[in-house]
Amino acid sequence: MGDRKVIVFDTTLRDGEQTPGVNFDKDSKYRIAKQLVSLGVDVIEAGFPAASNGNFEAVKHIAENIDDVVVAGLSRCVKSDIDKTYEALKNAKKSRIHLFIATSDIHLKYKLKISRDEALKMAVDSVKYASGKFDEIQFSAEDASRTDWDFLVKIFNEVVDAGAKIINIPDTVGYAVPKEFEKLVEYVKKHIHDKDNVTISVHCHNDLGMAVVNSLSALENGADQVEVTVCGIGERAGNASLEEVIMAINTRKDYFNLLHSINTREIFSTCKLVSELSGIDLQPNKAIVGANAFRHTAGIHQHGVINNKATYEIMRPEDIGITTDHISMGKLSGRNAFELKLKNMGYELSRDEMNLAFKKFKDVADNKKIVNDDEIKAIVDDVILNSKSIKEGEIWV
Ligand SMILES: [Zn+2]
């Protein structure tokens, strides 16, 4: 069997916008959507059209102006939501309605205050009502990871029979653990009707820091689609991060044997754009795209990386679109790292100048954890200036 292709469903503009304090305006959403196309995602969930006028307008604008991708809109299982979503998506080149209803007993009892049978009927009626209005129908069983498995399979099969071709298993509250979640995916896959024509999707939250690992476990065990956000932004602790899922698949291709359509060289600029427009700074130790992700501080690590990057780097920064060397200089840095840093900064020094510059650097570094490029420049300029006046003095003498 050949490698399977993972469908990347990006929900930065919908779940990502549910990050506390984040509100993308129409222009920001459109800019991000265009960048997501360059990045190569398969589906963009542009928003929740029935939630507000602003949301509706933003989804409509994306649907009407972005061609190379499926545009999805979230919708509750009620007619008025479906109608709104239809109005927003009707001019999309390829539209997908993303219907959802909660299926766990705790959500049914305390949130929706309806029975399992009532939820089942609302789901099926909604899929039937949406049929013919959209190119694709996706159905999500909200809080699936805390739903009775037999009821979950029952509702999935009824919506599949009614016309939904994508079924999503959300770990809405970030409660699942990898082994258990992969078993759930296997169970659904085993019992679903029309297996060959139904796409199984997962949507994981990061409340326990397991969104990425749960997503990867699901993909490994038969899920076809993964729902992600750029930088992992989203409700509460966020969603599975697009860049982490993709770079895990790439870096461990030997293990996962999965394909995808993401152009990884667009990852860094996409994360920068989302960070800028959301106002959320990337934590320095964020995997893949944090400022420290490709920095090496210990002298022994720096020496290794200079001789062969593979000693301490499992990914190449240029593969995600980072071009600078990101060698962080500090008191643990050795002579090799210092010389390379200067070379990267465009300096050519004599042996004596290098000796002096390295000594001065060590003096400065002793009092600081990190010596930045500007400080290194000041040290080197000082050394060059001094050695020049010494030489000129010699000529004069
Ligand atoms: Zn979510």
Side-chain angles (χ1 to χ4, degrees), residues 170-281:
D171 182 27
T172 305
V173 291
Y175 180 75
V177 292
K179 283 278 171 206
E180 172 196 63
F181 196 59
E182 69 186 41
K183 284 200 184 96
L184 174 59
V185 171
E186 275 173 2
Y187 186 81
V188 170
K189 203 173 166 77
K190 188 174 167 202
H191 293 94
I192 199 77
H193 295 169
D194 200 15
K195 281 182 190 37
D196 296 337
N197 296 308
V198 170
T199 298
I200 294 179
S201 171
V202 290
H203 174 108
C204 297
H205 276 273
N206 208 33
D207 297 72
L208 294 172
M210 291 193 279
V212 169
V213 71
N214 283 334
S215 302
L216 289 168
S217 289
L219 291 172
E220 216 186 319
N221 287 279
D224 310 288
Q225 171 178 289
V226 65
E227 300 198 359
V228 287
T229 62
V230 174
C231 307
I233 64 172
E235 185 85 38
R236 303 182 313 280
N239 291 57
S241 133
L242 181 148
E243 63 278 9
E244 292 176 26
V245 169
I246 294 301
M247 290 313 289
I249 290 172
N250 273 27
T251 306
R252 296 307 310 275
K253 187 160 185 11
D254 61 316
Y255 178 80
F256 289 107
N257 295 313
L258 293 168
L259 302 172
H260 58 76
S261 57
I262 298 296
N263 174 7
T264 63
R265 287 176 176 262
E266 293 291 332
I267 283 178
F268 193 61
S269 47
T270 309
C271 289
K272 282 279 178 202
L273 180 69
V274 168
S275 166
E276 211 175 280
L277 296 177
S278 65
I280 295 177
D281 291 336

Side-chain angles (χ1 to χ4, degrees), residues 50-155:
S52 68
N53 274 338
N55 225 311
F56 174 84
E57 290 299 332
V59 176
K60 189 165 181 281
H61 189 66
I62 290 169
E64 286 171 356
N65 293 284
I66 298 236
D67 285 343
D68 305 318
V69 73
V70 177
V71 180
L74 187 72
S75 169
R76 289 173 299 178
C77 285
V78 292
K79 274 189 179 174
S80 55
D81 272 27
I82 299 168
D83 290 338
K84 260 278 190 253
T85 310
Y86 171 71
E87 284 303 316
L89 293 181
K90 66 182 177 192
N91 294 320
K93 198 144 189 212
K94 200 158 189 195
S95 63
R96 178 184 296 185
I97 187 169
H98 181 188
L99 288 163
F100 76 99
I101 195 163
T103 51
S104 65
D105 288 335
I106 186 167
H107 276 230
L108 290 174
K109 184 172 176 195
Y110 294 102
K111 188 182 77 173
L112 298 178
K113 299 181 170 48
I114 57 174
S115 67
R116 286 184 182 183
D117 283 345
E118 284 169 306
L120 188 67
K121 186 173 182 319
M122 282 172 78
V124 172
D125 287 351
S126 297
V127 170
K128 285 183 178 159
Y129 183 69
S131 290
K133 296 184 174 71
F134 305 89
D135 294 308
E136 299 172 344
I137 299 174
Q138 169 168 329
F139 174 80
S140 274
E142 189 188 3
D143 205 19
S145 52
R146 294 193 299 171
T147 298
D148 175 79
W149 287 16
D150 289 331
F151 178 59
L152 189 64
V153 165
K154 186 175 180 196
I155 195 165

Side-chain angles (χ1 to χ4, degrees), residues 319-332:
D319 289 342
I320 62 157
I322 295 178
T323 46
T324 54
D325 67 27
H326 280 267
I327 293 177
S328 167
M329 302 301 294
K331 67 177 167 193
L332 301 177

